[in-house]
Amino acid sequence: PDAPPPSSAARAVVTHWQALPEPDLGQPHFDTRYVVVNTEASGLDLERDRLLAVGALAIESGVISPQQAWYATLQHAPEAALADLLTFIGNSPVVVFNAPFNRRMLLRAFDETVGFEPDLFWLDLYYLLPALFPERRRDPVRLADWMESFDIETFQRHHGLGDGWAIAQLFLAVQARATGRGAATARGLGDVEHAYREFRRKS
């Protein structure tokens, strides 16, 4: 409530973002730019803890693009950091691991800092991985468990970009498996996630 109003620069970024075309969720994975987003927070309590930093990686043409990596802390210039993140994401589908936590942290930070919550298309590997790889894990498990299952390593755990790198590699596996099963688009992945969540809710 005590946050200052967003600057003219932040308002300009939001206005530009709102003018972007809607993402084409029916494009094949190879033609879609995805952005993996991973947060760092002061803890795991959604009510008390705060967003500290964010890392993001782009995946284009089915390839992780190290040249398109973004990371910023929110300590000194949170408004500028979130405006830059919004520009980096553009209208790309957003890939996360554990969407309820990451999405809540991000949207609350956007609301409190920029006065705006972007309406993004979210894909959550927490549900997509067990939906597509039940032979490995039938239930949602920790990121560390999936990294071990796929023999994935990263340069730094519990870091926005470090864990983001691991999530991006897992997403490539999801893309490949999903394409082979007919879910060759972002919308298709969203349908797979929705179906798995409904199955868990009813079981």
Side-chain angles (χ1 to χ4, degrees):
D2 300 325
S7 67
S8 58
R11 290 197 299 270
V13 169
V14 169
T15 299
H16 174 76
W17 186 86
Q18 290 174 319
L20 292 174
E22 290 290 320
D24 186 352
L25 303 178
Q27 285 280 90
H29 295 311
F30 192 81
D31 296 324
T32 301
R33 178 181 184 265
Y34 293 91
V35 174
V36 172
V37 175
N38 189 51
T39 61
E40 295 174 31
S42 57
L44 299 177
D45 190 316
L46 283 170
E47 300 303 322
R48 294 186 307 170
D49 291 306
R50 315 302 295 174
L51 184 65
L52 300 179
V54 185
L57 284 160
I59 296 176
E60 292 191 275
S61 302
V63 176
I64 303 171
S65 178
Q67 293 78 18
Q68 291 196 58
W70 183 94
Y71 178 82
T73 65
L74 275 68
Q75 182 177 1
H76 300 299
E79 183 186 89
L82 291 173
D84 283 349
L85 175 62
L86 193 61
T87 299
F88 183 84
I89 293 173
N91 62 355
S92 301
V94 173
V95 179
V96 294
F97 189 93
N98 188 3
F101 182 83
N102 285 277
R103 179 169 52 197
R104 175 73 179 275
M105 282 289 176
L106 273 173
L107 294 185
R108 185 174 65 189
F110 269 108
D111 183 45
E112 294 177 352
T113 306
V114 187
F116 165 75
E117 291 187 9
D119 184 15
L120 301 166
F121 183 79
W122 300 83
L123 292 168
D124 192 352
L125 295 195
Y126 185 70
Y127 297 105
L128 278 169
L129 282 163
L132 290 165
F133 294 94
E135 74 278 10
R136 294 175 182 258
R137 306 279 184 175
R138 291 190 171 274
D139 298 313
V141 293
R142 302 174 307 158
L143 176 61
D145 295 321
W146 285 111
M147 290 173 64
E148 180 182 3
S149 179
F150 282 88
D151 196 24
I152 288 174
E153 297 183 357
T154 188
F155 55 90
Q156 186 175 347
R157 283 301 322 274
H158 309 299
H159 180 275
L161 269 183
D163 282 352
W165 176 254
I167 294 166
Q169 293 179 76
L170 288 168
F171 183 64
L172 294 184
V174 162
Q175 276 189 337
R177 175 62 66 90
T179 299
R181 297 189 175 183
T185 67
R187 182 179 292 113
L189 287 178
D191 291 343
V192 170
E193 179 184 337
H194 177 73
Y196 179 80
R197 291 166 68 107
E198 282 296 298
F199 168 76
R200 288 186 55 81
R201 185 179 66 82
K202 293 177 181 178
S203 61

